[in-house]
Amino acid sequence: MNDRAVKIAYMLAIIGGAVLWQATAMISGKAEAWDASSYWTVTYPLSIILTGWLGYQFPEKPWRWGFSVLFGQAGMMILSNSDYSLLPLGVILFGLLALPAAGLAQITAKLRLSSQKQ
């Protein structure tokens, strides 16, 4: 994968995560998107689907897309929040939430690579 493709993938992941976070916060009226039930039922699953798609489209080191999408969400949380007292806990939670996303990206990347070998 060339440098341009990597930059595009990172951009899609980070901006995609940020947009999902901000849209959920705005629609729900919550300061932090994960305070809304729709984050857990819609936004987080969409985040995982986004990382799966990125893993398929950009299969080199696909685990990084899961962390990038959730990093985008963490960035939006930091930018839109004035209370940073729970920030360390939030960063840890984002890291944990990124694990299933990174796992799906790994799976979809392997599917793509195996289909290209045939």
Side-chain angles (χ1 to χ4, degrees):
M1 194 164 39
N2 62 34
D3 286 344
R4 184 168 187 262
V6 170
K7 288 177 185 176
I8 289 170
Y10 272 119
M11 182 182 69
L12 290 170
I14 293 169
I15 292 173
V19 167
L20 285 168
W21 177 271
Q22 195 60 33
T24 304
M26 289 175 64
I27 291 168
S28 69
K30 304 284 186 180
E32 294 181 355
W34 59 23
D35 289 338
S37 62
S38 61
Y39 177 81
W40 302 105
T41 58
V42 177
T43 304
Y44 182 58
L46 285 174
S47 300
I48 293 174
I49 291 168
L50 174 60
T51 61
W53 178 80
L54 287 166
Y56 188 83
Q57 295 299 319
F58 307 96
E60 185 178 309
K61 300 178 189 172
W63 55 268
R64 59 186 163 177
W65 310 134
F67 288 93
S68 297
V69 169
L70 274 295
F71 175 77
Q73 292 182 9
M76 282 308 297
M77 181 189 72
I78 291 167
L79 290 174
S80 63
N81 199 349
S82 59
D83 181 20
Y84 300 113
S85 61
L86 294 175
L87 182 61
L89 183 60
V91 170
I92 291 168
L93 183 56
F94 277 118
L96 293 173
L97 291 174
L99 295 175
L104 181 62
Q106 285 285 125
I107 291 167
T108 57
K110 286 183 182 188
L111 289 171
R112 173 153 187 195
L113 294 174
S114 67
S115 70
Q116 286 178 343
K117 288 180 184 178
Q118 295 176 358

